[in-house]
Amino acid sequence: MNIVTKLSDWQAIRKKNNNKSIGFVHTMGHLHAGHLSLCARSQAENDLTIVAIFVNATQFNQIEDFNHYPRTLEEDKALLFKQQIDYLLLLQAETIYCDNYHIQIHDTSDLSKILEAAFRPGHFIGMLTVVLKFLNIVRPTRSYYGEKDYQQLLLIKKMALAFFLETEIVSCPTLRAPDGLALSSRNTRLSLEQRAKASHFPTILKRASSPEEAMHRLKNLGFSVDYVSDHWGRRLAALHVGEVRLIDALPL
């Protein structure tokens, strides 16, 4: 695995591989099996696979959340090396935000006013901005995203169409633990008791006859629930287990 830390070095590498198909997996690190499943899909469909690790400050609502986000770079490198990833892209914030975040990507449709957008103001602006920056840097043939963050996935697809990006945005099924909980970097912050309690989250979403019933049952178990709502053929929800916020999106 080649590790690239300078934009100019990557641009030279990309130019040399212009005739090859490029798969891209964009992460904030603290990798788990879900990330690796995206990598495996990319490796099956492309000549080269590039993974970026970049903890993006602009999509965090509170500086405390950004500071507490787990950073496990050495462990991540080992996982990607074992996965036989071709390139790991590690760019600094000074490179990505050379404009001091003056240029931002806004979606003004209803898609950016509900659910995650309502509870995390500015989150999607930061997310779309950094995704567009990396898609322009990597210029991948295909870029892979998990369906757990379904609203985010829809926005990325919409942005790619709006800006005539040649990258195909590929959606991948959510990878889950044996008890059904969606894999997430945040899960490692749960205590054993909280992790056991969190296993009820996807079960209730799946079995409840309506969002209202699901929300009622989750609250009765002591969860602090931001929302449960049916959109786009999915049941989407967000709740808090202690200080850890979890989301999910189950097909209806």
Side-chain angles (χ1 to χ4, degrees), residues 38-211:
L38 302 182
C39 294
R41 175 82 177 269
S42 174
Q43 289 171 305
E45 296 178 350
N46 301 281
D47 297 322
L48 298 174
T49 291
I50 288 78
V51 174
I53 294 177
F54 180 74
V55 185
N56 181 42
T58 67
Q59 68 189 71
F60 286 84
N61 300 90
Q62 298 179 350
I63 190 64
E64 293 84 3
D65 289 339
F66 172 71
N67 291 336
H68 290 152
Y69 188 87
R71 291 159 171 84
T72 54
L73 184 56
E74 294 309 311
E75 292 89 339
D76 294 345
K77 287 179 181 178
L79 286 172
L80 296 175
F81 182 82
K82 185 177 181 180
Q83 186 71 27
Q84 298 183 331
I85 294 302
D86 297 293
Y87 292 95
L88 170 59
L89 196 56
L90 297 174
L91 300 179
Q92 297 299 311
E94 293 77 12
T95 299
I96 298 301
Y97 289 110
C98 57
D99 66 330
N100 292 316
Y101 195 42
H102 291 159
I103 304 298
Q104 303 173 4
I105 303 300
H106 292 245
D107 173 68
T108 59
S109 73
D110 289 342
L111 184 56
S112 286
K113 297 176 183 177
I114 61 174
L115 305 180
E116 286 298 287
F119 285 89
R120 301 182 67 187
H123 166 67
F124 283 139
I125 297 172
M127 181 277 293
L128 287 173
T129 301
V130 80
V131 169
L132 182 59
K133 285 173 179 282
F134 270 95
L135 291 179
N136 280 328
I137 288 169
V138 178
R139 292 189 292 118
T141 312
R142 301 173 186 88
S143 192
Y144 297 83
Y145 302 89
E147 294 177 353
K148 175 174 68 71
D149 299 277
Y150 199 73
Q151 189 176 8
Q152 168 182 287
L153 171 63
L154 294 179
L155 281 164
I156 292 172
K157 286 185 173 182
K158 184 178 180 182
M159 179 182 69
L161 289 172
F163 286 95
F164 310 103
L165 301 184
E166 295 183 358
T167 299
E168 177 187 355
I169 305 301
V170 181
S171 60
C172 300
T174 303
L175 208 63
R176 298 181 179 274
D179 61 5
L181 186 67
L183 298 188
S184 170
S185 299
R186 295 174 182 265
N187 292 355
T188 59
R189 295 176 55 197
L190 298 170
S191 68
L192 290 176
E193 181 181 355
Q194 289 173 330
R195 177 61 185 80
K197 182 179 178 179
S199 67
H200 295 288
F201 181 26
T203 302
I204 289 174
L205 289 185
K206 185 176 182 179
R207 294 180 180 176
S209 61
S210 67

Side-chain angles (χ1 to χ4, degrees), residues 1-19:
M1 180 176 68
N2 298 283
I3 299 177
V4 183
T5 60
K6 293 183 178 180
L7 178 59
S8 58
D9 290 345
W10 166 252
Q11 290 171 330
I13 292 167
R14 183 64 182 85
K15 189 173 182 179
K16 289 179 182 178
N17 290 284
N18 216 28
N19 61 337

